[in-house]
Amino acid sequence: MNDTVLEFNQVWKTYKMGTEKVKALRGVDLIIKKGSFIAIMGPSGSGKSTLLHLAGILDTPTEGTVLMNGKNIKDYSGKEQAKQRRSNIGFIFQRFNLMPQLTVLENVMLPMISPDAEKAKILLDKVGLKDKYKRFQKQLSGGEQQRVAIARALANDPYILLADEPTGELDTQNTRLIMDLLKNLNENDGLTIVAVTHNPLAAEYAKELIKMQDGNII
Ligand SMILES: Nc1ncnc2c1ncn2[C@@H]1O[C@H](COP(=O)(O)OP(=O)(O)OP(=O)(O)O)[C@@H](O)[C@H]1O
Ligand SMILES: [Mg+2]
């Protein structure tokens, strides 16, 4: 049985800015197995977000290959990439990225391939927001907003959750709540999670720690 979800082979990512080239990733090799919970740490500019973007098919490598479930992400058309992202990958971000004009429930339903309010409610119950379906973003604490974002990320039953500094805007108490929730999703639902963080407290919840420096894993 092949339990590799993602495989990076000698991945380079170069950004061109006018005549200048930024080598954001420099030959990354990485294998992510189903059911893993990985924290990625490293200094600003070391390539953490770039790595996460490639893992989430938001971008493709300049050199080397990224395989998702054994398939080279470069072989997908733009449309297929979008379909993969929508159905198989969940994202959460530092700034939550909720739609302020939509209710909590509508935010969770938004990405659904088949909109299903009952399922959205189940997901919101799971993240502890049972009584807050009708609220708007501005009526929620930061920790609650991130919990909505987690429920939304789970809307299409992804097999991997990618998080870029998910607790970057949260206090210690909410950081613990969010990381406990991710830990539960990993342990109880077998969700594969990769979380970039600057916070050692948050990183402790993961099963594995990856450190990056100068565009590579050290
Ligand atoms: N779209 C882009 N165009 C040009 N350069 C970029 C782009 N995105 C990232 N970079 C550069 O690539 C390098 C790696 O950036 P990346 O965002 O992956 O770092 P990071 O480890 O996530 O940093 P941080 O902790 O500050 O979020 C940096 O030098 C950055 O300036
Ligand atoms: Mg970053």
Side-chain angles (χ1 to χ4, degrees):
M1 202 185 89
N2 191 347
D3 60 352
T4 298
V5 175
L6 266 172
E7 186 172 340
F8 283 63
N9 293 307
Q10 280 301 300
V11 170
W12 290 72
K13 181 70 193 181
T14 308
Y15 293 111
K16 283 201 187 99
M17 299 219 303
T19 53
E20 202 191 331
K21 282 184 181 173
V22 181
K23 290 181 177 147
L25 294 181
R26 303 167 184 239
V28 170
D29 286 316
L30 175 65
I31 287 178
I32 297 173
K33 300 272 186 198
K34 189 174 178 346
S36 44
F37 183 3
I38 298 171
I40 301 181
M41 297 189 83
S44 182
S46 57
K48 304 180 299 296
S49 293
T50 302
L51 183 108
L52 217 58
H53 289 162
L54 295 179
I57 330 186
L58 290 168
D59 209 342
T60 52
T62 312
E63 275 178 62
T65 54
V66 176
L67 306 178
M68 174 157 271
N69 289 323
K71 194 158 158 64
N72 189 339
I73 62 167
K74 267 197 168 165
D75 293 340
Y76 287 123
S77 68
K79 206 174 159 185
E80 284 168 334
Q81 287 181 2
K83 192 177 160 202
Q84 285 293 323
R85 273 199 301 276
R86 195 173 160 96
S87 51
N88 295 329
I89 303 164
F91 287 99
I92 55 173
F93 302 95
Q94 181 170 358
R95 289 175 203 279
F96 324 127
N97 297 6
L98 301 178
M99 299 288 252
Q101 72 277 33
L102 299 181
T103 64
V104 161
L105 189 70
E106 288 164 347
N107 265 284
V108 175
M109 287 175 67
L110 190 64
M112 284 182 172
I113 292 161
S114 339
D116 179 347
E118 289 314 307
K119 182 175 178 188
K121 286 177 184 172
I122 291 169
L123 290 171
L124 283 164
D125 294 353
K126 196 169 197 159
V127 300
L129 292 176
K130 203 178 179 59
D131 304 321
K132 307 209 163 138
Y133 302 153
K134 290 184 181 166
R135 299 246 186 140
F136 291 91
Q137 179 171 18
K138 61 173 188 279
Q139 301 168 319
L140 300 172
S141 74
E144 287 168 342
Q145 290 176 52
Q146 192 61 298
R147 284 190 267 158
V148 176
I150 292 171
R152 181 186 56 186
L154 301 176
N156 293 316
D157 306 308
Y159 52 70
I160 189 165
L161 179 69
L162 303 173
D164 201 348
E165 301 188 33
T167 63
E169 311 257 305
L170 304 179
D171 60 20
T172 301
Q173 193 191 351
N174 276 305
T175 294
R176 287 187 189 282
L177 276 172
I178 292 298
M179 294 312 294
D180 264 326
L181 181 57
L182 295 184
K183 193 175 172 190
N184 274 329
L185 291 168
N186 172 256
E187 286 179 355
N188 301 334
D189 299 351
L191 183 66
T192 307
I193 302 177
V194 182
V196 167
T197 183
H198 282 287
N199 185 348
L201 168 73
E204 271 178 30
Y205 287 76
K207 292 192 234 172
E208 279 172 76
L209 175 63
I210 285 177
K211 286 190 179 169
M212 290 192 72
Q213 195 179 318
D214 299 328
N216 220 326
I217 291 166
I218 52 169

